[in-house]
């Protein structure tokens, strides 16, 4: 059974095999660490996790690198405005390193809670300045750079097919309307190196052949991806916004430098929206984080389950109602799992084939999930569900043993009993029963048990 993936570059589904042997060289653009990641960002990271798990299910090894953007991502994609991390540090009265390291740690905790497999290596932009300088010097030799008063820029008119990855024509004559041109020669040109403002000492700045400053955002991904994975990656991923600017720029830099294709497959996840708006860190009304989910009594795995129900190339609209639905479905799955026979059943193999076929068809997770449900209700075994969980990543075994939400419900019942609100405490007991748990009041306090 072969894996097929939609390649944004060819605009087609293509059969995927690694270029060399059985190891997939995968690069995924990581978080910009100036603020908490929101659940929209995590939709993309979960999609990349499902991709990785599907490749592994097909017997492939995945050499996965993810960067941490701790410098260079400017407030505006037009390469002006402040550095996002530096701006947040100034606002909080902290150093840029403190801010970046705080949000990097939080990101790592969040992906653990979402059961997203970590990459083989996280690579920080600030730890690869020399590699970025070397790459800019290479581009300089190739004659595609120019200097302005605020930095060194890539001249996109010097290369053929700039922006062919983007879903829209980025070279169209009106493309520059949204963009502040400054001294740029073309609207699509972008910064490779920015000079530090003359009268200001930045927290994060480095000496370079062009003067003191810091690298542009796009160059970090090109430099680190090629350092760790070679000139041509098997797969490069990110959110669909990156297909427009960031990835075409990475492609332009890497391909000009090496003369080789930068990535064979480019795969992008569609946006998570909230109230019909793309979730974005810059819009406070839509900014829901893992901490927000917890505050509202949800488990991060409820959100993971929620994202599995929609194909990664379709927009996903978030609502609290829909998340409640996902939580119920996840808990029902755990309740059904508990009642299933442990030993393999005859139908397991057919169910496995159905799930694998759906996943191998451009990660059709909603169909794969429907097959899992079919199997849960139709004579499969716990062994099958644990196999499927290698992809779903719902920690079925652990969660069905001591689910934290059940503990929480039991505590809520205790609180109602303490205030003698027996009507409410009975309602919670009924809810627990529906989820497959009983609760007994013993002399040692209430004990929760599976029914
Ligand atoms: P950032 O931390 O802003 O660099 O973004 C991290 C990842 O999240 C990138 O791959 C983005 O393309 C992706 N992303 C940003 N906003 C959304 C959204 N609303 N839905 C899905 N993915 C997103
Ligand atoms: Zn990137």
């Amino acid at each position: 059974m072969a894996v097929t993936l939609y390649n944004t570059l060819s605009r087609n589904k293509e059969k995927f095999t690694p270029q060399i042997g059985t190891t997939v060289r995968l690069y995924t653009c990581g978080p910009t660490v100036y603020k908490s990641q929101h659940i929209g960002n995590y939709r993309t990271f979960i999609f990349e996790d499902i991709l990785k798990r599907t490749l592994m299910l097909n017997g492939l090894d995945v050499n996965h690198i993810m960067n941490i953007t701790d410098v260079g991502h400017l407030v505006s994609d037009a390469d002006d405005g402040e550095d996002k991390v530096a701006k947040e540090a100034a606002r909080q009265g902290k150093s840029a390193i403190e801010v970046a390291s705080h949000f990097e740690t939080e990101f790592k905790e969040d992906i653990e809670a979402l059961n997203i497999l970590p990459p083989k290596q996280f690579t920080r932009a600030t730890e690869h300045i020399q590699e970025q300088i070397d790459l800019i010097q290479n581009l300089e030799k190739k004659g595609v750079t120019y200097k302005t008063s605020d930095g060194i820029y890539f001249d996109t008119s010097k290369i053929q097919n700039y922006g062919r990855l983007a879903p829209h024509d980025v070279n169209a004559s009106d493309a520059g309307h949204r963009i502040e041109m400054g001294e740029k020669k073309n609207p699509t040109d972008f910064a490779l190196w920015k000079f530090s403002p003359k009268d200001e000492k930045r927290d994060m700045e480095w000496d370079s052949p062009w003067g003191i400053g810091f690298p542009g955002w796009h160059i970090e991904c090109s430099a680190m991806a090629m350092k760790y994975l070679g000139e041509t990656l098997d797969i490069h991923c990110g959110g669909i916004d990156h297909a427009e600017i960031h990835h075409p720029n990475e492609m332009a830099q890497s391909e000009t430098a090496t003369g080789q294709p930068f990535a064979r497959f480019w795969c992008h996840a569609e946006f998570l929206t909230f109230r019909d708006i793309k979730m974005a860190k810059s819009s406070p009304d839509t900014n829901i984080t893992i901490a927000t989910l917890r505050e509202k009594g949800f488990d991060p795995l409820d959100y993971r389950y929620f994202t599995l129900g929609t194909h990664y190339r379709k927009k996903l609209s978030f609502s609290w109602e829909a998340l409640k639905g996902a939580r119920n479905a996840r808990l029902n799955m755990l309740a059904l799992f508990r009642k299933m026979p442990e030993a393999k059943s005859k139908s397991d193999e057919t169910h496995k084939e159905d799930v694998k076929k759906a996943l191998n068809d451009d990660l059709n997770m909603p169909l794969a999930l429907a097959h899992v449900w079919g199997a849960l209700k139709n004579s499969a075994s716990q062994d099958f569900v644990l196999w499927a969980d290698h992809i779903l990543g719902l920690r079925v075994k652990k969660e069905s043993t001591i689910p934290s939400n059940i503990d929480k419900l039991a505590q809520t019942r205790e609180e109602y009993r303490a205030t003698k609100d027996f009507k409410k405490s009975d309602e919670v007991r009924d809810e627990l029963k529906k989820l497959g748990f009983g609760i007994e009041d013993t002399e040692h306090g209430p004990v929760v048990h599976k029914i």
Side-chain angles (χ1 to χ4, degrees), residues 27 29 67 217 221 236 242 246-247 250:
Y27 185 87
C29 292
N67 63 307
W217 168 37
C221 285
H236 193 317
H242 285 352
H246 181 52
H247 287 170
E250 283 188 36

Side-chain angles (χ1 to χ4, degrees), residues 29-34 37-45 48 69 73 84 217 237-242 269-273 277-281:
C29 292
T32 309
V33 284
Y34 69 103
Q37 294 285 298
H38 54 63
I39 58 172
N41 300 127
Y42 287 122
R43 184 199 187 188
T44 292
F45 295 121
E48 292 160 352
T69 301
H73 198 161
K84 292 186 182 191
W217 168 37
C237 294
I240 191 69
D241 50 340
H242 285 352
E270 252 297 348
F271 289 139
L272 181 83
T273 61
I277 304 172
K278 175 202 162 192
M279 193 167 285
K281 288 188 193 134

Side-chain angles (χ1 to χ4, degrees), residues 8-26:
T8 309
L9 187 59
S10 66
R11 285 127 176 84
N12 271 315
K13 272 198 226 175
E14 294 175 40
K15 189 172 160 210
F16 173 80
T17 46
Q19 193 174 35
I20 307 163
T22 53
T23 301
V24 181
R25 286 162 305 143
L26 171 70

Side-chain angles (χ1 to χ4, degrees), residues 129-140:
I129 300 298
Q130 191 53 52
E131 287 83 348
Q132 297 177 70
I133 291 176
D134 292 347
L135 187 53
I136 301 170
Q137 284 187 306
N138 177 335
L139 295 173
E140 214 170 21

Side-chain angles (χ1 to χ4, degrees), residues 222-432:
S222 286
M224 296 192 282
M226 294 197 293
K227 170 170 179 171
Y228 293 98
L229 298 171
E231 292 182 349
T232 303
L233 316 171
D234 283 309
I235 309 178
H236 193 317
C237 294
I240 191 69
D241 50 340
H242 285 352
E244 200 83 29
I245 299 175
H246 181 52
H247 287 170
N249 292 352
E250 283 188 36
M251 213 171 158
Q253 297 165 151
S254 298
E255 298 189 353
T256 306
T258 68
Q260 300 298 321
F262 181 39
R264 297 167 57 235
F265 280 70
W266 291 85
C267 300
H268 295 101
E270 252 297 348
F271 289 139
L272 181 83
T273 61
F274 184 51
R275 301 185 185 132
D276 293 330
I277 304 172
K278 175 202 162 192
M279 193 167 285
K281 288 188 193 134
S282 54
S283 103
D285 295 348
T286 69
N287 214 326
I288 299 170
T289 64
I290 296 299
T292 329
L293 299 186
R294 287 200 174 106
E295 276 158 28
K296 301 228 177 206
F298 289 98
D299 189 302
L301 291 176
D302 295 328
Y303 178 68
R304 181 175 175 106
Y305 186 100
F306 167 71
T307 67
L308 304 183
T310 300
H311 193 270
Y312 76 93
R313 286 196 289 118
K314 288 212 173 99
K315 280 204 174 69
L316 174 57
S317 165
F318 178 82
S319 71
W320 292 106
E321 269 316 297
L323 188 62
K324 245 185 237 167
R327 174 173 61 189
N328 287 344
R330 184 176 76 85
L331 296 182
N332 283 337
M333 184 181 273
L334 297 177
L336 275 177
F337 173 78
R338 282 181 214 112
K339 293 186 197 135
M340 293 170 94
E342 269 180 42
K344 281 185 187 157
S345 94
K346 258 200 240 153
S347 64
D348 283 1
E349 282 312 308
T350 322
H351 295 310
K352 284 185 189 176
E353 263 176 42
D354 289 344
V355 170
K356 195 170 168 192
K357 196 167 159 208
L359 290 167
N360 283 2
D361 179 13
D362 190 28
L363 315 181
N364 192 340
M365 194 66 216
L367 182 59
L369 190 59
H371 285 312
V372 172
W373 274 105
L376 279 163
K377 293 177 175 166
N378 200 351
S379 68
S381 69
Q382 286 194 345
D383 191 73
F384 162 79
V385 182
L386 295 178
W387 172 88
D389 199 38
H390 284 122
I391 298 290
L392 301 175
L394 295 171
R395 295 187 165 127
V396 169
K397 178 100 182 163
K398 185 163 169 263
E399 287 288 305
S400 63
T401 320
I402 20 158
S404 54
N405 61 301
I406 299 293
D407 268 343
K408 264 186 222 141
L409 273 176
Q411 276 165 26
T412 310
R413 179 175 168 271
E414 269 311 281
E415 284 158 18
Y416 285 135
R417 278 162 52 85
T419 57
K420 301 211 181 315
D421 193 345
F422 296 115
K423 187 170 173 286
K424 283 262 169 55
S425 78
D426 284 350
E427 281 171 16
V428 176
R429 179 196 284 261
D430 290 346
E431 205 178 330
L432 278 166

